[in-house]
């Protein structure tokens, strides 16, 4: 193990901040600034700074657990792996391969995500695999695919943001969810650009804005259409760009024209003058951007909503041009790479489609199997979880905690409990792991090497800095061992190497020629460069240098400049010449407003929206185990407007109950004028009585299958003590 600092990346969000880890006497690590990494330039949020706390024994799992007599008890790895293999094999024999489910996560490295997709399809032979990214950015991904022919969250690096003229930030609270990225927006304003934030709450991010619009949750589609209507009415369409670089304008234009500003004001609560001001601020500068996050995306019409924002960019000539464009702020550590390499229900590595015969042939060849043996597309995340205990009898879960994070969570918890067999790989005993028949404790970010792809599409190398404790193994080892046990005579474990670089080498081949082409990226290059943006195809003649000792640790390697041509530099900026559609033109999508799946009524008169706080991460499985973070964000709360609080007779800190058609949650009131009076907000990081997802509506977007996390009808009640 190196004694000096190891440059690596944070285990949490999609910013993938660079950090240095230095080993400590006691076997742990200290986080030290890494100013040379361009994305965060040394800055970290509290979660990143305190991430080593989760490496400590006593906090993390250190031995496999097997359920016996109703309780989880420590077991050897052999026993635990045998139990998992038996559980899955029994289901496969009794109910067929599709009765085995697999659920992955956007926090898994590319190598793990790739192996998990392969494991499902060739070891289990199941079509029933999906992952938590479905709950994250799937609507933006679907809309990006439709419009641009390719989904890479940001088509440009963050460093372009300060140089544009105006940014509309739709439903992102990045001051809390990606704090070091706020710098780019501060610089934008220092450079004379403007920031518009669209959020039903006056968040820390909205406080930075030149203009804050606070629409009613679930109405962003109407808002975007109203803005497009005004763009047309005010003669601000970039006709030449529309003619040269797009298709489908007439239908999209006609659809938008039905959304009169006054109508949009009634739906959204955003006034006509504010709409006009937004259009002026967005259209006057030569360059502008729209960035969306979970606010507009986590809706049962998220795909159409993002489509409408993209239409606005296209009509004004602000996509595929320098310092202009549409982007989605992806969320999880490997939220981008995690959606490219095959853990998604309909997908093969390299962002290939599972139902495309050529893609099946290519990947089957890399995997050494018959293309016809690959199952077809499976179900989306919520549909998969909803089928547990019915036609899906066993589940292998890696990198998610759905008991806390899935919509209609009480129901999903029941579905999980009704499984014949549940195996969970995790670093801690999450609420979902606590329900498992077998829990396999895995290594963590500082203890293993692997690649992630950040929200910019920048592929990064996370390096091992310390030795993992006895008793834990990597996810890759788990898949190797299970493949050995489940593959029978077939020797399938050979296709599941435990060395991450070996997996990456195969991923390169599997992705070659696909939309997300990583074939020109090597561990050697990643060790030398501050990430490489995909697509990065291999260039014939630019030979990979032969692997040298220790290259997985990033030592002793040089960039992939081979004997002949120089290596492909990667693609920081997409679409500048053409979009990724067959004819190179971006596609307008004709969309019209529709209401949220569950509008308030007399019984449930208030809207609930949900989201995050800076000090907790996701289901909280990791961050709720860190003292400093718990001190900053000790538990759930219900954010509500003073007028609503007064009607309930609730004072600050009083417990209030929020009741939806799915269930009831109770948490202390947090009273603020920063929220619309018709809306309450709950963060979703906690289990138990204050679990926000007890309430949320699993109504799904027809295209992306994204649940409606951001708007459902509730009733708010004072709790008598
Ligand atoms: N601290 C912290 N940081 C994180 C995470 C975390 O859990 N904690 N998770 C990471 C992940 S996976 C993700 S996906 C990102 C998410 O990052 P964000 O998208 O920034 O996070 P959210 O808080 O879910 O939602 C953003 C905002 O949307 C607003 N909103 C709610 N409803 C609507 C609506 O109908 N329309 C609009 N326009 N806005 C609405 C909410 O008020 C909220 O302020 O954060 C990443 N970073
Ligand atoms: N109401 C509401 N619900 C939401 C959202 C919302 O805005 N509102 N947001 C949704 C979004 S955007 C997301 S991304 C999801 C996230 O929700 P989850 O999918 O539950 O995400 P995490 O809490 O990050 O869960 C990751 C789990 O994997 C473990 N883990 C971490 N690293 C590894 C690893 O390398 N290997 C293995 N095997 N395990 C690992 C962690 O300890 C943790 O238990 O929540 C969704 N749910
Ligand atoms: S912003 Fe995200 S990547 Fe950066 S330190 Fe915080 S959690 Fe980690
Ligand atoms: Mo996410």
């Amino acid at each position: 193990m190196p004694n000096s600092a190891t440059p690596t990346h944070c285990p949490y969000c999609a910013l993938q901040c660079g950090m240095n880890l230095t080993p400590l006497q006691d076997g742990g690590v200290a986080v030290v600034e890494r100013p040379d990494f361009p994305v965060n330039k040394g800055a970290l949020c509290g979660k990143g700074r305190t991430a080593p706390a989760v490496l400590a024994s006593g906090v993390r799992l250190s031995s496999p657990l097997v359920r016996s007599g109703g309780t989880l008890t420590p077991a050897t790895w052999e026993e635990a792996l045998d139990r998992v293999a038996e559980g899955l094999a029994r289901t496969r024999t009794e109910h067929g391969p599709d009765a085995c489910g697999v659920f992955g996560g956007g926090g898994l490295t590319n190598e793990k995500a790739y192996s998990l997709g392969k494991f499902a399809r060739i070891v289990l032979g199941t079509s029933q695999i999906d992952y938590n990214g479905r709950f994250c950015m799937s609507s933006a991904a679907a809309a990006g695919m439709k419009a641009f022919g390719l989904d890479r969250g940001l088509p440009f690096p963050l460093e372009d943001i300060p140089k544009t003229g105006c940014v509309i930030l739709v439903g992102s609270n990045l001051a809390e969810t990606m704090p070091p990225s706020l710098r780019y927006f501060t610089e934008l304003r220092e450079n004379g650009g403007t920031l518009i934030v669209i959020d039903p709450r006056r968040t820390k991010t909205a406080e930075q804005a030149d203009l804050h619009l606070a629409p009613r949750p679930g109405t962003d589609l109407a808002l975007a259409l109203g803005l497009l209507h005004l763009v047309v009415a005010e003669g601000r369409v970039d006709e030449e760009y529309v003619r040269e670089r797009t298709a489908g304008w007439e239908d999209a234009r006609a659809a938008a024209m039905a959304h009169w500003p006054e109508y949009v004001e009634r739906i959204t609560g955003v006034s006509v003058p504010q709409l006009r001001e937004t259009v002026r601020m967005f259209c006057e500068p030569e360059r502008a951007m729209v960035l969306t996050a979970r606010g507009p995306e986590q809706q049962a019409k998220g795909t159409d909503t993002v489509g409408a924002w993209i239409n606005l960019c296209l009509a004004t000539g602000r996509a595929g041009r320098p310092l202009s464009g549409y982007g989605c702020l992806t969320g999880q550590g490997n939220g981008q790479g995690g959606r490219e390499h095959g853990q998604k229900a309909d997908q093969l590595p390299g962002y290939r489609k599972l139902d495309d015969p050529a893609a099946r042939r290519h990947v089957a060849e890399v995997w050494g199997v018959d293309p016809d043996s690959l199952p077809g597309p499976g179900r989306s995340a919520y549909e998969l979880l909803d089928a547990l205990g019915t036609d899906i009898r066993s589940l292998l879960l890696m990198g998610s905690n759905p008991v806390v994070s899935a919509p209609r969570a009480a129901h999903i918890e029941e579905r999980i409990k009704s499984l014949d067999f549940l195996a969970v790989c995790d670093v801690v005993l999450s609420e979902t792991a606590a329900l498992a028949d077998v829990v396999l404790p895995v290594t963590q970010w500082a203890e293993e090497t692997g690649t992630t792809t950040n929200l910019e599409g920048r592929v990064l190398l996370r390096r091992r800095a310390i030795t993992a404790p006895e008793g834990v193994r990597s996810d890759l080892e788990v898949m190797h061992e299970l493949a050995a046990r489940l593959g029978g005579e077939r020797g399938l474990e050979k296709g599941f190497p435990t060395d991450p670089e070996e997996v990456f080498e195969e991923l390169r081949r599997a992705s070659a020629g696909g939309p997300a082409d990583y074939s020109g990226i090597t561990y050697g290059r990643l060790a030398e460069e501050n990430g490489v943006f995909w697509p990065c195809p291999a260039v014939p003649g630019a030979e990979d240098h032969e692997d040298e000792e220790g290259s997985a640790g990033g030592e002793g390697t040089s960039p992939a400049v081979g004997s002949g041509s120089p290596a492909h530099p990667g693609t920081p900026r997409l679409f500048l010449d053409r979009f990724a559609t067959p004819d190179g033109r971006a596609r307008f999508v004709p969309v019209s407003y529709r209401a949220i799946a569950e509008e308030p009524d007399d019984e449930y008169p208030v809207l609930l929206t949900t989201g995050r706080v800076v000090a907790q991460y996701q289901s909280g499985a990791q961050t709720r185990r860190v003292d400093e973070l718990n001190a900053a964000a000790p538990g759930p709360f219900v954010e509500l407007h003073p007028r609503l609080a007064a009607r309930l007779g609730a004072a600050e800190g009083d417990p209030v109950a929020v009741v939806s058609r799915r269930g009831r949650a109770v948490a202390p009131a947090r009273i603020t004028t920063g929220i619309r009076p018709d809306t309450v907000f709950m963060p979703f990081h906690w289990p138990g009585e204050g679990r926000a997802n007890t309430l949320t509506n699993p109504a799904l977007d027809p295209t992306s299958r994204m649940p409606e996390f951001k708007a459902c009808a509730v009733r708010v009640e004072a709790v008598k003590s």
Side-chain angles (χ1 to χ4, degrees), residues 13 47 136 170-174 176-177 198-201 203 217-218 220 293-296 299 331-332 609 611-614 616-618 685 710:
C13 87
K47 297 185 296 301
C136 188
V170 195
S172 158
N173 184 14
L174 51 78
E176 296 213 49
T177 53
I198 303 181
D199 195 307
R201 303 185 301 139
T203 58
D220 302 79
R294 302 307 81 78
Q299 300 184 14
Q332 297 185 82
T609 191
R612 296 160 163 82
V613 297
V614 65
Q616 297 289 351
Y617 189 68
Q618 313 273 60
H685 310 294
K710 288 295 192 260

Side-chain angles (χ1 to χ4, degrees), residues 88-89 91-93 95-102 115-129 342 345 348 354 360 367 369-379 391-392 394 396 482-483 486-488 490 492 496:
L88 294 169
T91 294
R92 196 172 54 178
T93 309
H95 304 278
D98 273 352
C100 295
V102 177
S115 295
L116 192 63
K118 181 178 176 182
F119 183 87
R121 272 99 183 196
I122 73 175
V123 178
L124 297 175
T126 182
S127 65
Q128 300 301 306
I129 174 170
L348 288 169
L354 191 48
R360 293 170 70 89
W367 289 353
V369 298
D370 177 356
D372 294 335
S373 72
L374 295 177
R379 266 177 288 214
D391 57 306
I392 300 179
S394 286
L396 173 64
L482 293 178
L486 287 158
R490 292 186 290 165
L492 291 181
F496 295 87

Side-chain angles (χ1 to χ4, degrees), residues 107-108 112 132 135-136 294 298 332 398-402 405-406 425-428 430 442-443 448 475 610-612 617-622 684 692-693 696 709-710:
L108 301 177
K112 295 178 184 187
N132 69 5
F135 297 157
C136 188
R294 302 307 81 78
Q298 288 174 327
Q332 297 185 82
M398 193 178 277
S400 182
N401 185 14
S405 58
C425 301
D426 206 310
V427 301
V428 294
S430 72
V442 293
T443 48
E448 57 184 22
D475 290 301
T610 60
R612 296 160 163 82
Y617 189 68
Q618 313 273 60
S619 74
Q622 291 153 288
F684 77 98
N693 275 319
T696 47
F709 286 119
K710 288 295 192 260

Side-chain angles (χ1 to χ4, degrees), residues 508 522 525 538-546 558-567:
R508 290 177 62 201
T522 62
R525 270 188 82 170
V539 176
E543 294 286 300
D544 302 338
H545 54 122
E546 283 303 307
S558 56
V561 272
S563 43
S565 336

Side-chain angles (χ1 to χ4, degrees), residues 630-642:
N630 281 335
F637 56 86
V638 180
E639 200 175 283
L640 73 171
H641 192 274

Side-chain angles (χ1 to χ4, degrees), residues 49-134:
R49 269 192 297 101
T50 59
V54 188
L55 298 165
S57 64
V59 174
R60 56 113 48 94
L61 291 165
S62 55
S63 159
L65 302 172
V66 167
R67 193 166 295 279
S68 83
T71 51
L72 284 171
T73 43
T76 66
W77 269 94
E78 290 306 300
E79 278 173 76
L81 288 163
D82 287 347
R83 274 281 289 271
V84 178
E86 278 161 29
L88 294 169
R90 187 173 315 123
T91 294
R92 196 172 54 178
T93 309
E94 289 175 6
H95 304 278
D98 273 352
C100 295
V102 177
F103 201 86
L108 301 177
T109 59
N110 289 315
E111 291 78 0
K112 295 178 184 187
Y114 171 83
S115 295
L116 192 63
K118 181 178 176 182
F119 183 87
R121 272 99 183 196
I122 73 175
V123 178
L124 297 175
T126 182
S127 65
Q128 300 301 306
I129 174 170
D130 209 46
Y131 81 122
N132 69 5
R134 185 73 69 172

Side-chain angles (χ1 to χ4, degrees), residues 10 12-13 15-17 44-45 47-48 178-180:
C10 175
Y12 298 120
C13 87
L15 212 51
Q16 284 297 283
C17 291
L44 297 169
C45 80
K47 297 185 296 301
M178 298 181 180

